[in-house]
Amino acid sequence: MSLITRIHGAATLLKLARYPLPSLQPTLARTASSRAPLNHLINEGIPHPVVQLVNPETRKPDPPTRLDALLAKLDRKGGDYYSLVDPSHTPAPLIVLRNRKIEFNKKKADKASAKAKKSETKIIEMTWSIEPGDLRHKLSKAKSHLEKGDSVEILFKPKPKVPLPEPDLRRNLATSVEEEMQALSSDVKKVTKGIATVITVKPSPSGTPGPEPPAAS
C-alpha cells in the first residue's frame, strides 16, 4: 500500500471519528412507519411529536398537544390506543382514541349477526304413519341442515284418509325423533298441540356438541 493511500485512509477515519454515524434506529422506525398503512400507525409509531386528538365527546379536534403527553396518560391495560387518521391535517396531524377490547367485541358481534342472517329455518314434514325408510331419510336431511348452520322444524301431522295411530304410538314416535335431535344439538324443543307436534332444533354453537344420547337399557 502506497504512502498516499495510507494517508487518505487515515484522513477518512479521522472524519468518521469527528462526525459519528447517526443511530439507525430512528431511521428504521421511520421507514417502517412510512410503509405501514395509516391505521397501523399507532402510539409510539406515530411519527409526529405534536398532534390533535379528536375529542371522543364532541367529535371535534382538541388543541394541538404533544404526543408523548397523551401517551403518558393512555390506559394501555384497558385496551386504549391512539391511531393516526389524517397526517396532513393542520395545524397538527389528527389522531383518534380507540379501544382494542371494544373493537374485538364489535367484530365478534358483527360476525354473529352475519351468521344469523345467513341461517334459515328448514321445515321437514312427517306424517304419523311415516315408513321407517322415509323417517331415516328425513332425519338425515335434518342433520344436514343443522351441519350447515340452519335451524330445523320437524312437523308431525296426520296423513289424509289414513287412520290416526294411537296416542301412545304418536308419543313414542315424537320422543324417538326428539332424542335423535338431542344427540345433534343442545337446543331442542318439542311442542304438541292437539294431534300435531313440532320439534324445533337449532344448531349448537361451533365446537359445542349436543348431549350424549340416553344409554340403552
Side-chain angles (χ1 to χ4, degrees):
M1 182 183 296
S2 67
L3 178 60
I4 294 176
T5 302
R6 288 198 298 271
I7 292 174
H8 179 73
T12 300
L13 291 174
L14 183 60
K15 288 181 180 180
L16 291 175
R18 184 176 300 175
Y19 305 105
L21 290 174
S23 171
L24 293 178
Q25 191 62 32
T27 303
L28 293 175
R30 286 195 298 272
T31 302
S33 297
S34 64
R35 291 178 181 175
L38 285 181
N39 59 358
H40 286 173
L41 295 181
I42 65 172
N43 296 347
E44 285 79 7
I46 298 174
H48 304 286
V50 178
V51 294
Q52 282 184 271
L53 173 65
V54 177
N55 191 296
E57 295 181 359
T58 65
R59 306 308 300 168
K60 295 180 179 180
D62 285 340
T65 310
R66 288 194 58 83
L67 177 62
D68 55 4
L70 292 173
L71 292 173
K73 303 176 183 178
L74 190 62
D75 182 14
R76 299 175 189 261
K77 291 184 178 180
D80 288 348
Y81 70 97
Y82 292 116
S83 176
L84 179 66
V85 293
D86 188 355
S88 61
H89 182 269
T90 56
L94 210 58
I95 66 171
V96 294
L97 177 64
R98 290 177 174 158
N99 184 280
R100 289 186 174 87
K101 293 181 179 180
I102 293 176
E103 291 174 345
F104 174 80
N105 290 334
K106 185 178 183 303
K107 288 181 180 178
K108 188 177 179 180
D110 289 345
K111 186 177 180 180
S113 177
K115 185 177 181 180
K117 288 180 181 178
K118 289 181 180 178
S119 65
E120 299 179 6
T121 299
K122 304 293 185 179
I123 298 176
I124 298 177
E125 295 185 352
M126 300 185 187
T127 66
W128 289 116
S129 54
I130 188 170
E131 295 293 332
D134 194 17
L135 176 61
R136 275 296 127 198
H137 173 68
K138 293 198 172 185
L139 290 179
S140 178
K141 285 180 63 177
K143 179 181 179 181
S144 177
H145 290 317
L146 290 169
E147 289 174 346
K148 293 176 181 178
D150 294 327
S151 298
V152 174
E153 282 188 1
I154 300 174
L155 171 61
F156 286 97
K157 62 181 183 178
K159 186 175 182 179
K161 300 181 181 180
V162 174
L164 194 64
E166 293 296 323
D168 286 347
L169 295 178
R170 300 199 305 268
R171 191 181 305 112
N172 291 340
L173 176 58
T175 299
S176 66
V177 170
E178 180 185 18
E179 291 175 352
E180 288 269 358
M181 295 298 100
Q182 287 174 341
L184 303 174
S185 172
S186 58
D187 191 345
V188 180
K189 295 179 180 179
K190 181 178 68 174
V191 177
T192 298
K193 291 184 179 181
I195 57 175
T197 295
V198 177
I199 299 176
T200 303
V201 190
K202 294 183 179 181
S204 295
S206 179
T208 306
E212 292 293 330
S217 57

